Amino acid sequence: MLFNSLAFLVYLPIVFCLYWFVFNKRLRWQNGLLLIASYFFYGWWSWKFMVLLSLSTFLDYVYGFSVASPNRKRAKVFLWLSIINNLGILGVFKYYNFFALQFQKGFDMLGVHLHPSLLQVALPIGISFYTFHGMSYVFDIYREKQKPISNFIEYAVFVSFFPLLVAGPIERATHLLPQVQQRRTFNYRQAAEGCRLMLWGMFKKVVVADSLAVIADNIFNHYTEHNGLTLVLGAIAFSFQIYGDFSGYSDIALGTAKLFGFELLSNFKFPYFSRDIAEFWRRWHISLSSWFRDYLYIPLGGSKGGKAKAVRNTFIIFLVSGFWHGASWNFIAWGFIHACGFLPLLLMNRNRTHVKEVVAADRLFPNGTELLQMFTTFCFVTFAWIFFRIHDIGQAVDYTKSIFTNVKNPGEALSYLSIFYYIVPLLVIDWQFRRNERNLQIAKRNMFMILSSKVVLYTVYTLTAIFLLNAIIQKENVSFIYFQF
C-alpha cells in the first residue's frame, strides 16, 4: 500500500479511530490491532510476502532467547544462526541472480559455458529493512543492551510496524521496543506534529519528487541527445528527486507513527546543507549509516589500530552500503565514490568537524565559506548520484564525459530550468526548519516573518492536496524509489 494512494487515505483514518476509540483500553489490544493493520498494509502488495515476513520474525524471536544464554559459546552460535538466516533471505531473494550471472560471466572467460537457473521471483517489498530490524534485536541481546521479549506480539509489532516496514527508518530494539511495551495515551500536540510532518513529506514526494522524476527520466533516458548543461540539470533534478522521494517517505513514516504515540528515529537532517561528505552521511539515511557503524564498522575495529585499518573499514562500510541498495555494480561504484570522498577527511582527522551544530546555527544566512563548502559537497554528491541512477557503469561514465564534451545547442538547457520551480521552495523551507527536522513550527520572531512563513506553509499544504488528489484521480501514484531496495 502506497502512502500516496487512495487506499492509504482510507486505511489510515480507520486504523486511527479503532486504535484510539475502540482498542484504547488495553495495551495488548492496541498492539494486536497494530500487528493486524501492519500485516494488512504489507499484504496489500502480495500475501505471499507476508509468509516470508512472518518466518523471519519468528526465527529471530526464537533466536533471541538462546542468544541471551550465559553460555557465550551457545549465544554466539545462535547469533550466527540469526545472521545466516537474515543474510540468507537477502542473499536468495536479492543477490542470488546477481552472483549467478557473475559466475556465468567468469566461467565464460575461461571457455566454460554455464547456464545457471535464475529466480523468477519479484523482490519482496521492504526485505532489506525488516531483516535489519531483526538482526539489530539479536545483536543488542548478544551485547546485553536488550533482554529477549517473551511477548511475541510486542516483538512482531517492532519488526512490522507499518509506517516503517517498507522503507524505514531502520529501527533499533532498544529504541522502539520500550515504546511498544508501554501504555500510550493520545497526545494532541504529538498528533498535530505528525500531521504537519506527513503533509510536508507528501509535498516532497508528490509535488517535488514526482514532478522532477518526469524531467530527470527524460534527460537520463536520452542523455546522448542532450548537451552538457542539460545533463547537469538532469543530475540536479535526480539529486532532488531522490531526496524528496526518500526523505518524503521518512517524514510520512515519522508523522504516521506520531499519530499512534510513537517516536521513530530520524532518517534525514537536511543533508544538502552539509559542509563535507562526513556530515552528509550523518544527515542522509541516518538509520542505515548508524546501523552499519554500530554493527559492522565498530566490530571490525573501527578507527582503532591505526589509519590503515580505519581506511580499510571505511571502504568496507561504503562498499557494503552501496551493495545493500541493490545487486548491481553501479551501486558498488556509488559506494566506492563516496568512500574516496570520505578518505581525505579521515586521513586529515577532519571527518568529525561538523558533528553537533547545524550550518549557520545562530544566523539567518550562511557565510561565504559555508556556502562554498555546501556547494562543493552538493556537487560531489550529485556526481555520485549519476552512478546510482544509471545501472550500466559504462553509460554512467559516458554521461559524465558528455557533460564536458557535448556543447551542441546550449540554449536547449533553458527549457529545463523549470526544475528550480520545485527545488527553490524546497530549499527555502528546509532552511527555515534546519535546526529541528521533526517539528515544523514557526519560530517566534517578528510578526511579518511569522505571517509570511505561515502563508508559505499553507500554500505548500494546498499544493500538496491538489497534486495528491490529481495523482489519485489520474491513478498515477508513483512508487517510492527505495521500495526497490
Side-chain angles (χ1 to χ4, degrees):
M1 188 182 298
L2 295 172
F3 284 158
N4 54 326
S5 67
L6 178 61
F8 183 74
L9 294 181
V10 173
Y11 161 90
L12 183 61
I14 293 174
V15 177
F16 178 85
C17 291
L18 290 174
Y19 182 82
W20 288 119
F21 300 109
V22 179
F23 293 84
N24 59 319
K25 291 182 170 48
R26 296 285 189 276
L27 176 62
R28 64 176 181 271
W29 293 357
Q30 286 185 320
N31 287 337
L33 174 66
L34 286 181
L35 184 60
I36 294 171
S38 296
Y39 270 77
F40 179 84
F41 176 86
Y42 190 70
W44 191 261
W45 283 284
S46 172
W47 65 267
K48 297 177 183 178
F49 294 163
M50 294 169 58
V51 176
L52 190 63
L53 172 61
S54 302
L55 177 63
S56 176
T57 301
F58 177 74
L59 288 175
D60 282 326
Y61 170 76
V62 173
Y63 290 147
F65 295 104
S66 298
V67 171
S69 170
N71 184 329
R72 298 305 285 173
K73 288 185 177 180
R74 173 183 168 83
K76 198 166 190 176
V77 167
F78 280 92
L79 171 67
W80 276 105
L81 282 174
S82 174
I83 294 172
I84 292 170
N85 167 65
N86 285 289
L87 295 185
I89 291 174
L90 276 177
V92 170
F93 288 94
K94 190 170 182 177
Y95 299 109
Y96 170 78
N97 286 355
F98 172 79
F99 284 113
L101 291 173
Q102 299 313 306
F103 275 114
Q104 181 186 32
K105 290 178 182 178
F107 278 102
D108 283 345
M109 294 174 64
L110 298 174
V112 179
H113 301 291
L114 301 177
H115 302 282
S117 298
L118 301 180
L119 290 178
Q120 304 298 324
V121 180
L123 180 67
I125 296 290
I127 189 172
S128 297
F129 292 90
Y130 67 71
T131 51
F132 273 39
H133 286 151
M135 281 195 287
S136 75
Y137 169 73
V138 177
F139 281 143
D140 287 344
I141 292 176
Y142 183 77
R143 293 176 170 185
E144 299 181 345
K145 293 183 178 180
Q146 172 71 47
K147 293 183 179 180
I149 301 300
S150 58
N151 189 314
F152 178 74
I153 300 297
E154 292 176 349
Y155 175 72
V157 170
F158 156 70
V159 174
S160 62
F161 186 38
F162 74 89
L164 54 78
L165 177 57
V166 177
I170 300 172
E171 270 291 344
R172 307 296 182 86
T174 52
H175 179 255
L176 185 57
L177 265 174
Q179 297 183 65
V180 175
Q181 294 174 301
Q182 69 184 15
R183 181 74 182 273
R184 298 176 292 275
T185 56
F186 182 75
N187 184 315
Y188 174 80
R189 181 176 179 179
Q190 185 183 39
E193 290 174 357
C195 289
R196 284 192 291 267
L197 271 174
M198 290 178 67
L199 284 168
W200 179 229
M202 286 288 187
F203 173 80
K204 287 196 281 189
K205 167 60 178 171
V206 301
V207 179
V208 177
D210 291 352
S211 299
L212 291 176
V214 177
I215 300 172
D217 288 349
N218 177 270
I219 295 173
F220 273 90
N221 294 341
H222 308 93
Y223 73 91
T224 57
E225 303 172 9
H226 298 296
N227 65 63
L229 184 54
T230 299
L231 298 182
V232 170
L233 293 176
I236 293 173
F238 179 72
S239 192
F240 280 96
Q241 176 200 345
I242 194 169
Y243 168 66
D245 190 282
F246 192 26
S247 69
Y249 179 95
S250 296
D251 286 345
I252 299 169
L254 265 64
T256 304
K258 282 176 175 285
L259 292 179
F260 295 91
F262 291 88
E263 294 291 338
L264 302 182
L265 294 170
S266 293
N267 218 15
F268 287 86
K269 291 186 177 181
F270 313 107
Y272 289 160
F273 298 145
S274 300
R275 288 153 288 185
D276 56 44
I277 294 300
E279 185 180 14
F280 173 82
W281 278 104
R282 280 189 288 272
R283 295 180 176 278
W284 176 278
H285 205 345
I286 302 168
S287 62
L288 180 67
S289 302
S290 61
W291 198 100
F292 279 127
R293 178 198 65 205
D294 294 344
Y295 301 122
L296 185 56
Y297 182 76
I298 293 176
L300 286 172
S303 57
K304 297 179 181 178
K307 288 293 184 184
K309 181 175 283 189
V311 170
R312 181 203 69 181
N313 294 340
T314 296
F315 271 87
I316 290 174
I317 289 298
F318 277 106
L319 292 176
V320 171
S321 176
F323 200 46
W324 177 90
H325 283 82
S328 177
W329 286 108
N330 69 297
F331 293 117
I332 297 176
W334 172 72
F336 179 78
I337 291 169
H338 274 278
C340 291
F342 188 90
L343 184 59
L345 297 172
L346 178 66
L347 295 176
M348 294 186 294
N349 295 318
R350 296 181 59 185
N351 55 302
R352 297 188 62 80
T353 302
H354 307 293
V355 174
K356 295 182 179 180
E357 83 288 356
V358 298
V359 62
D362 54 357
R363 289 175 278 117
L364 184 59
F365 298 109
N367 57 39
T369 300
E370 291 168 334
L371 273 175
L372 180 61
Q373 290 172 332
M374 288 190 292
F375 176 76
T376 304
T377 303
F378 176 76
C379 288
F380 180 87
V381 169
T382 299
F383 160 71
W385 283 133
I386 295 173
F387 289 81
F388 190 99
R389 173 62 175 75
I390 302 177
H391 283 211
D392 185 287
I393 294 180
Q395 291 182 7
V397 172
D398 190 41
Y399 186 105
T400 306
K401 286 182 179 178
S402 297
I403 290 176
F404 301 99
T405 60
N406 194 338
V407 295
K408 64 181 180 181
N409 190 20
E412 172 200 44
L414 293 174
S415 61
Y416 292 100
L417 291 178
S418 59
I419 64 172
F420 294 104
Y421 295 156
Y422 307 101
I423 293 173
V424 171
L426 174 65
L427 287 175
V428 169
I429 297 172
D430 263 2
W431 184 260
Q432 166 80 13
F433 298 114
R434 70 190 181 282
R435 298 175 184 86
N436 185 354
E437 79 288 355
R438 301 175 72 93
N439 186 9
L440 304 180
Q441 291 278 26
I442 304 298
K444 292 183 178 180
R445 292 190 291 272
N446 59 66
M447 186 59 66
F448 174 76
M449 292 295 292
I450 293 174
L451 290 176
S452 60
S453 297
K454 285 189 175 183
V455 167
V456 171
L457 276 183
Y458 284 117
T459 301
V460 164
Y461 297 156
T462 303
L463 283 173
T464 302
I466 293 172
F467 273 72
L468 181 58
L469 288 173
N470 181 67
I472 290 172
I473 293 170
Q474 300 296 327
K475 297 182 180 179
E476 297 175 350
N477 308 116
V478 182
S479 182
F480 291 82
I481 292 175
Y482 266 68
F483 278 21
Q484 63 186 291
F485 306 137

